[in-house]
Amino acid sequence: MLPEAISGFENYPPKVQRLLTSALELTTRNLDYEYGSADPANGGMDCSGFVYFVLKQNGIDDVPRDSSEQYIWLRRTGKFEPVVSQKEDSFEFDNLKPGDLLLFGRIGCRVSSDRAVPATMPPPSAKKAPSEDARTRVRNTLPKFMLRGVSGATFGKTFALVGTMVIGRQQDSDIPVPAEEISRHHARLQVTPDGVLVEDMGSANGTFINDKRVKNGILKPGEELRLDTVRFMLVAPGMDAKQQGAVPRTETAKPAASQGSGKAVGIVIGLIVLAAAAFAALRYFGMV
């Protein structure tokens, strides 16, 4: 992708143009995901390493290397406003205006409008349909796959999967899981046309797809990913609630087996007690 393909690129300040150009240039090098790297000379970089490299390359020297520190650094600039409320009418949205970038986890969308916008924003494209006048429009892109936590520390949480991501206990992981049974960098997840390619990164307790331990394997929508005792389900847009609840589990039959065994043991004990009572009665009447 060339910088000129970005709508309104020519209207951005020169520093922003240089930053975008240097970032897009990296996409032409066929780099891989390389954990712990912030230098393309290593053949790849991790997510925070990419941000660190591009900003340092463009003269921003105080950018931190760690992703969590980058978050704090960004907030301190006064241009980043976190939203903690789960209500859409929260006051935290009062200052939302055209040109702002909304981030939902790793998914972003920009608010745009055909009305007059502040001078700091590039003017809207001239190719606008007349029927769209005065309407505010939000452009967003849905992820192809999402991981939904179904047990442990991630229960009820949803993680959008984009490109290649690392899941692990360490905070700089793309999907951090605060559980002792998870390795610091447990598994690598890569989105493919057929599902998510799961690669175990030498974890101590193993990576499982539908309870089958794997070194590499394809996780498909509706299937379960298990990292030791922490379980996830792969969800795709359009899946109904019944499909999302149909997580394959091999151990679901165990309780039934245990109940059956318990009943059998109870019957045997009952027969032994009955036989002992009968023997005692016969002996009392002198019949044995």
Side-chain angles (χ1 to χ4, degrees):
M1 178 179 179
L2 296 175
E4 292 74 18
I6 301 176
S7 177
F9 177 80
E10 67 280 1
N11 299 305
Y12 285 109
K15 288 185 178 180
V16 176
Q17 290 184 6
R18 288 195 295 270
L19 189 147
L20 290 173
T21 300
S22 61
L24 289 173
E25 188 276 331
L26 289 172
T27 67
T28 66
R29 302 192 192 181
N30 196 30
L31 298 173
D32 200 358
Y33 180 91
E34 189 70 29
Y35 176 76
S37 171
D39 188 346
N42 297 327
M45 296 178 283
D46 58 24
C47 299
S48 58
F50 177 89
V51 174
Y52 176 83
F53 177 82
V54 172
L55 294 183
K56 292 279 285 188
Q57 190 181 40
N58 285 271
I60 303 176
D61 295 325
D62 62 337
V63 57
R65 172 63 181 87
D66 181 74
S67 58
S68 59
E69 292 178 359
Q70 288 176 1
Y71 170 82
I72 298 172
W73 175 75
L74 184 60
R75 286 199 60 181
R76 284 176 174 170
T77 65
K79 303 295 184 182
F80 180 76
E81 298 185 20
V83 176
V84 297
S85 173
Q86 298 183 3
K87 296 182 179 180
E88 60 183 14
D89 59 349
S90 170
F91 73 92
E92 295 165 311
F93 293 105
D94 288 349
N95 295 325
L96 189 65
K97 59 185 180 299
D100 286 347
L101 180 66
L102 288 173
L103 296 173
F104 305 95
R106 295 182 178 273
I107 307 302
C109 61
R110 187 175 294 280
V111 179
S112 63
S113 173
D114 291 335
R115 294 174 292 184
V117 296
T120 55
M121 288 301 302
S125 173
K127 299 178 180 180
K128 300 292 183 180
S131 60
E132 295 179 348
D133 287 346
R135 291 193 304 174
T136 299
R137 178 173 66 258
V138 177
R139 298 187 183 96
N140 63 337
T141 303
L142 290 175
K144 188 172 183 180
F145 301 111
M146 294 178 290
L147 273 184
R148 180 164 61 86
V150 295
S151 75
T154 61
F155 179 78
K157 296 182 180 180
T158 301
F159 305 91
L161 300 181
V162 181
T164 301
M165 304 174 71
V166 171
I167 182 170
R169 187 178 74 247
Q170 194 153 305
Q171 283 299 312
D172 62 358
S173 299
D174 299 299
I175 303 177
V177 180
E180 293 183 354
E181 61 268 32
I182 304 299
S183 295
R184 289 183 299 169
H185 301 107
H186 198 105
R188 181 179 289 111
L189 310 178
Q190 181 177 351
V191 175
T192 72
D194 301 323
V196 176
L197 176 62
V198 179
E199 177 188 353
D200 185 86
M201 298 177 68
S203 66
N205 294 322
T207 300
F208 302 78
I209 295 179
N210 293 340
D211 282 326
K212 180 181 179 181
R213 188 164 186 167
V214 298
K215 294 294 291 182
N216 293 278
I218 291 291
L219 180 69
K220 296 184 177 181
E223 294 186 335
E224 178 187 283
L225 172 66
R226 179 164 65 85
L227 311 180
D228 193 48
T229 61
V230 179
R231 298 188 294 122
F232 299 88
M233 179 181 177
L234 186 65
V235 179
M239 288 180 61
D240 57 31
K242 183 177 180 180
Q243 288 174 309
Q244 293 187 25
V247 182
R249 296 291 291 163
T250 58
E251 64 262 36
T252 52
K254 290 182 179 178
S258 298
Q259 292 178 1
S261 299
K263 290 181 179 179
V265 172
I267 292 173
V268 171
I269 293 175
L271 290 174
I272 293 174
V273 172
L274 182 60
F279 178 80
L282 292 174
R283 186 174 183 181
Y284 176 80
F285 289 108
M287 299 178 67
V288 292

